[in-house]
Amino acid sequence: MPFPIRTCVVCQEEFELKPDKPGFANRCPSCSEPEVTEKPEPEESHPMDAGERRVAMEVNAARRRAIRDMLYRKDT
Ligand SMILES: [Zn+2]
């Protein structure tokens, strides 16, 4: 007894609608897995905008200044 054939609403692929198929009935098995289709990149890899980049540069500059002051004081 064959399973009914459905067309996936996401990728238009035809798939067998098995009774134990997880996820939506109108999506194929691969489109029913949200972590595979929705977030290809991890959160950390998003590019910084100009404001974030400036803040990061200021933090780095302040840190460098603090280290230089520390070393300078040690030398004298
Ligand atoms: Zn699909």
Side-chain angles (χ1 to χ4, degrees):
M1 169 97 182
F3 298 108
I5 300 295
R6 291 292 158 87
T7 304
C8 174
V9 296
V10 178
C11 68
Q12 311 302 315
E13 287 284 325
E14 289 187 343
F15 64 97
E16 289 181 339
L17 182 62
K18 296 176 182 174
D20 60 345
K21 189 190 92 58
F24 298 98
N26 57 359
R27 293 188 185 193
C28 71
S30 55
C31 290
S32 297
E33 294 167 14
E35 59 274 341
V36 175
T37 52
E38 280 175 19
K39 269 204 169 183
E41 292 177 10
E43 195 83 10
E44 296 84 8
S45 74
H46 78 92
M48 285 195 283
D49 63 35
E52 285 176 311
R53 218 169 8 241
R54 211 191 52 209
V55 167
M57 270 170 55
E58 283 169 4
V59 167
N60 280 337
R63 191 182 296 143
R64 265 199 302 273
R65 217 162 29 234
I67 290 169
R68 202 164 48 218
D69 288 351
M70 215 169 60
L71 293 173
Y72 181 73
R73 262 182 230 123
K74 244 179 220 167
D75 284 347
T76 53

